[in-house]
Amino acid sequence: MRYRGYPAYKESGVEWLGEVPEGWKTSLLKRYCKVTDGSHYSPKTVSEGRPYISVKDVGWKGINFNGCKQISEEDFEKLKQNGCSPKAGDVLLTKDGTIGRGVIVREEYPEFVALSSLGLITPFFKITSEYLLYYLLSGFNVQQMLRTIHGSALTRLTVEKINDLTICIPPYNQQTAITNFLDRETKKIDTLITKQQKLIKLLQEKRQAVISHAVTKGLNPNVKTKDSGVEWLGEMPEHWDVTRAKFVSNIFVPQRNKPALNDESGIPWVTMEDMHNNHIQSTRYFIDAQAIRKAGSKILKAGSVIASCVGNLGIASIVQEEVVINQQLQAFIPKKINAEYLRELIVISKSYFEKIGTAATVTYVNQEGFENLPVLIPPKNEQSKIEKFIISERCSYDKLIKKGLTAISLLQERRTALISAAVTGKIDVRTPN
């Protein structure tokens, strides 16, 4: 759809903003809003209590109350008295770490308090909450906010910097027309984004199902099967064997002390934060030879399979170069089994690890648990065929998932551009074209 501009424009007096429609004003945010922030004190969290909202809980025009932290009633009342509980109609703006997400506080929301990483903005009578939110989320304003913190080591906006943001102010009735237009058009875009997200989820589930079937049933659909004797593995090809991980690989458990690390050179130091992919691609820290000796650590060679042993179990990655692992991980060093095939077996055996793990504060699986992991063993040549199949199938599905993610990114860019054009008067959305 093509949009026309306003009948007449004037210079805004702001270089990066350019012209604005006649009748619009440009001013500082503090003249139209009261700006504070959330709590600078971090109270102790509890399992059941009152909502305590931070940046991670604020999404696209919404708050995730289900995943937020909770604090005691006593701490909640203290923070409420200190002005950390926003009112209906206030706008929350993420200002630390992630800049430029926001949400209007709705009447139906449960009462909550906010962390200092959120700006609490109360609009005055000359600006609507809905228009203010769209302006804050616009690409023009996000770039303005990022410019104010340029050169700083911390991505953080202060209340003073938010107060001094330049804002476009259309006449009050035009603000309503703009927000009605953006509500309608962004809803269409959000629907398309949701469809893409659902498609990606289905592709991910299908990818895992195809790989899991290959790992447990092989590639021949007509092969005779037998019971593996392992509940979560079910039937397996008749000519396969079942054994334990300790008979086809060496198990390594690192010592429980953390050595001196650096972020520049040495052997890569792998933690759970580096386990995002099927293969370890990069690490945040390194460890030198002297520190390795002092810590009694071991250098793992390429081809080792690293698995999580604390908390989030069933995560595994293959090492592509020499690495050292921390105490949240254990390693399988394959002897009679292909690394890619073993990695997939570990992933589908999550229920095994969760069942045998010991739980204090978090679930932990010891060396014995890893050694006794049930492992299906196809003939060596069949393992290689399965491994090639897995790599090929994953590549095919990953391409489709990447296309979906690209589509989402383009839709989000389109949404941001449309908001920016509407709230700065680059397009006239008051009447349909």
Side-chain angles (χ1 to χ4, degrees):
M1 180 183 292
R2 295 178 66 107
Y3 300 100
R4 61 171 178 257
Y6 282 78
Y9 286 84
K10 64 179 182 181
E11 283 296 328
S12 67
V14 181
E15 182 179 357
W16 54 266
L17 185 58
E19 294 182 330
V20 295
E22 288 282 358
W24 286 38
K25 297 179 180 179
T26 54
S27 186
L28 299 181
L29 185 71
K30 61 187 175 185
R31 294 174 183 164
Y32 288 83
C33 304
K34 176 185 176 183
V35 182
T36 59
D37 59 6
S39 170
H40 289 258
Y41 155 71
S42 296
K44 182 180 178 181
T45 58
V46 297
S47 57
E48 292 186 17
R50 304 292 292 274
Y52 182 47
I53 302 301
S54 65
V55 168
K56 71 176 181 61
D57 306 311
V58 177
W60 163 248
K61 296 171 65 177
I63 297 176
N64 178 19
F65 286 101
N66 292 329
C68 72
K69 292 180 178 179
Q70 313 244 349
I71 60 174
S72 69
E73 186 70 33
E74 182 181 359
D75 281 332
F76 182 88
E77 288 301 324
K78 287 180 181 178
L79 295 182
K80 183 179 176 181
Q81 291 298 320
N82 290 333
C84 301
S85 179
K87 305 293 188 297
D90 287 353
V91 175
L92 296 185
L93 176 68
T94 61
K95 68 180 189 64
D96 292 358
T98 299
I99 303 294
R101 290 203 305 263
V103 62
I104 297 173
V105 179
R106 305 292 183 184
E107 289 278 2
E108 62 269 23
Y109 286 172
E111 195 175 20
F112 66 93
V113 292
L115 196 63
S116 62
S117 55
L118 295 171
L120 279 54
I121 306 175
T122 303
F124 300 150
F125 65 93
K126 292 183 180 180
I127 184 171
T128 68
S129 300
E130 291 76 12
Y131 176 81
L132 173 61
L133 176 64
Y134 276 124
Y135 184 85
L136 293 172
L137 297 179
S138 70
F140 274 97
N141 185 61
V142 171
Q143 289 303 313
Q144 177 185 194
M145 292 190 292
L146 292 174
R147 281 194 296 271
T148 68
I149 54 177
H150 179 70
S152 173
L154 294 175
T155 309
R156 178 176 296 170
L157 277 172
T158 61
V159 169
E160 290 73 21
K161 288 177 179 178
I162 296 174
N163 267 318
D164 289 336
L165 291 174
T166 297
I167 185 170
C168 294
I169 309 292
Y172 199 83
N173 64 330
Q174 290 186 31
Q175 293 179 35
T176 302
I178 290 169
T179 55
N180 288 341
F181 166 81
L182 289 175
D183 283 346
R184 184 175 65 252
E185 296 303 315
T186 58
K187 185 178 180 180
K188 295 176 185 176
I189 296 173
D190 291 345
T191 298
L192 294 174
I193 289 174
T194 299
K195 288 181 178 179
Q196 285 295 328
Q197 290 171 333
K198 288 181 178 178
L199 175 60
I200 289 171
K201 185 178 179 181
L202 288 173
L203 288 168
Q204 291 170 332
E205 291 173 353
K206 178 64 175 175
R207 178 185 61 191
Q208 187 56 52
V210 168
I211 292 174
S212 297
H213 187 273
V215 169
T216 58
K217 306 296 184 285
L219 305 179
N220 181 1
N222 300 316
V223 69
K224 290 184 179 181
T225 62
K226 64 181 179 181
D227 186 6
S228 68
V230 181
E231 181 182 355
W232 69 93
L233 297 177
E235 295 282 313
M236 71 176 190
E238 194 174 51
H239 63 288
W240 289 17
D241 295 321
V242 181
T243 186
R244 301 285 177 176
K246 61 186 175 184
F247 298 122
V248 293
S249 63
N250 293 325
I251 312 298
F252 171 70
V253 181
Q255 294 185 14
R256 297 289 174 232
N257 53 328
K258 182 179 178 180
L261 305 173
N262 71 86
D263 56 7
E264 295 180 353
S265 63
I267 304 295
W269 170 260
V270 181
T271 70
M272 275 295 294
E273 294 178 355
D274 307 311
M275 304 271 288
H276 300 303
N277 300 289
N278 303 321
H279 297 81
I280 299 296
Q281 297 179 339
S282 62
T283 61
R284 295 174 58 196
Y285 299 107
F286 300 86
I287 179 172
D288 61 33
Q290 184 178 2
I292 293 172
R293 287 193 298 272
K294 283 184 177 180
S297 299
K298 177 178 181 177
I299 298 175
L300 298 172
K301 295 182 178 180
S304 300
V305 182
I306 301 171
S308 60
C309 64
V310 178
N312 195 1
L313 304 169
I315 295 176
S317 297
I318 299 174
V319 173
Q320 295 179 297
E321 60 179 327
E322 291 185 338
V323 302
V324 177
I325 61 176
N326 82 340
Q327 66 271 21
Q328 294 178 314
L329 307 170
Q330 296 190 27
F332 298 84
I333 304 168
K335 296 187 297 183
K336 300 177 183 179
I337 189 169
N338 288 16
E340 190 75 34
Y341 178 77
L342 175 59
R343 195 201 80 82
E344 294 299 337
L345 276 173
I346 294 168
V347 171
I348 65 174
S349 299
K350 181 177 181 179
S351 60
Y352 162 79
F353 293 117
E354 291 177 339
K355 184 177 181 180
I356 67 164
T358 58
T361 53
V362 292
T363 304
Y364 169 74
V365 177
N366 60 22
Q367 182 169 347
E368 183 181 1
F370 273 72
E371 289 177 340
N372 289 316
L373 170 69
V375 173
L376 302 183
I377 301 293
K380 196 70 174 176
N381 65 330
E382 199 169 342
Q383 286 184 42
S384 298
K385 290 179 181 178
I386 293 172
E387 186 172 30
K388 289 178 182 178
F389 173 82
I390 289 171
I391 292 171
S392 174
E393 288 296 299
R394 182 179 288 118
C395 182
S396 298
Y397 279 100
D398 286 353
K399 285 180 180 178
L400 294 173
I401 290 170
K402 186 176 181 180
K403 286 183 179 180
L405 292 171
T406 300
I408 289 173
S409 180
L410 291 172
L411 286 167
Q412 290 171 332
E413 289 175 10
R414 165 67 176 163
R415 184 176 65 192
T416 299
L418 192 64
I419 293 171
S420 297
V423 300
T424 57
K426 302 298 183 283
I427 58 175
D428 187 348
V429 300
R430 292 174 296 178
T431 57
N433 291 341

